[in-house]
């Protein structure tokens, strides 16, 4: 989970653990932290498991969600044998964000959802992709 809002991270982690939907939930508050984690996952996958699913916020200070995706694409984190599913979670009402996601990052972003993550939303995502 990549989101600068620690309250959202807390709520979304509780939602994921409620089902339970994951062996482990890792949260970071910046795109740079997420890239660092992905770099470690290449070198030490037993200690830093490669994520199957990333919930990504758009609007974050410094590196926003789109910047993260561009950098992750450049570092080829989405070109491996085990694809990482990205779901963009946002509180943005800007339709340009979803348009940009669909036009520029359709390979990486599989879903574009409004916050908060609900159990129904998570169940639908898991049923569709896993």
């Amino acid at each position: 989970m990549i989101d600068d809002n620690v309250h959202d991270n807390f709520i979304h982690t509780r939602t994921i653990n409620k089902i339970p939907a994951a062996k482990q939930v890792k949260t970071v508050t910046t795109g740079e932290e997420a890239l660092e984690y992905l770099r470690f996952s290449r070198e030490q996958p037993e200690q830093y498991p490669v994520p199957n699913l990333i919930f990504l916020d758009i609007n974050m200070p410094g590196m926003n969600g789109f910047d993260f995706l561009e950098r992750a694409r450049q570092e080829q984190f989405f070109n491996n044998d085990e694809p990482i599913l990205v779901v963009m979670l946002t509180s943005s009402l800007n339709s340009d964000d979803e348009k940009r996601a669909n036009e520029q990052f359709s390979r990486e972003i599989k879903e574009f959802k409004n916050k908060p993550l609900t159990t129904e939303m998570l169940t639908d995502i898991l049923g569709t992709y896993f």
Side-chain angles (χ1 to χ4, degrees), residues 5-125:
N5 186 317
V6 294
H7 300 292
D8 286 344
N9 286 339
F10 176 78
I11 291 167
H12 295 156
T13 298
R14 282 190 64 186
T15 300
I16 293 166
N17 288 331
K18 185 177 180 180
I19 291 184
K23 292 179 186 176
Q24 178 184 13
V25 178
K26 173 69 177 163
T27 61
V28 295
T29 57
T30 69
E32 191 55 56
E33 280 181 277
L35 289 171
E36 184 175 299
Y37 180 89
L38 291 173
R39 288 180 198 115
F40 284 141
S41 73
R42 280 186 172 158
E43 299 164 10
Q44 303 169 39
E46 62 287 336
Q47 195 171 0
Y48 299 90
V50 176
N52 300 106
L53 173 60
I54 293 176
F55 288 105
L56 176 63
D57 186 27
I58 294 175
N59 297 314
M60 296 182 288
M63 182 185 296
N64 68 31
F66 293 120
D67 296 337
F68 163 77
L69 288 170
E70 187 59 44
R71 292 270 307 277
R73 185 187 273 174
Q74 290 170 0
E75 294 189 41
Q76 299 183 346
F77 288 120
F78 299 115
N79 295 339
N80 57 20
D81 295 333
E82 297 178 32
I84 301 171
L85 176 76
V86 177
V87 174
M88 194 156 259
L89 282 179
T90 182
S91 55
S92 171
L93 299 176
N94 186 345
S95 61
D96 290 340
D97 288 337
E98 187 169 5
K99 183 178 177 184
R100 181 176 180 194
N102 290 329
E103 289 178 356
Q104 295 180 2
F105 298 100
S106 62
R107 198 176 90 230
E108 292 85 3
I109 300 171
K110 299 304 179 197
E111 299 275 343
F112 192 94
K113 302 285 188 182
N114 288 322
K115 291 180 186 181
L117 178 67
T118 64
T119 54
E120 294 81 15
M121 191 185 307
L122 181 58
T123 301
D124 287 344
I125 292 166

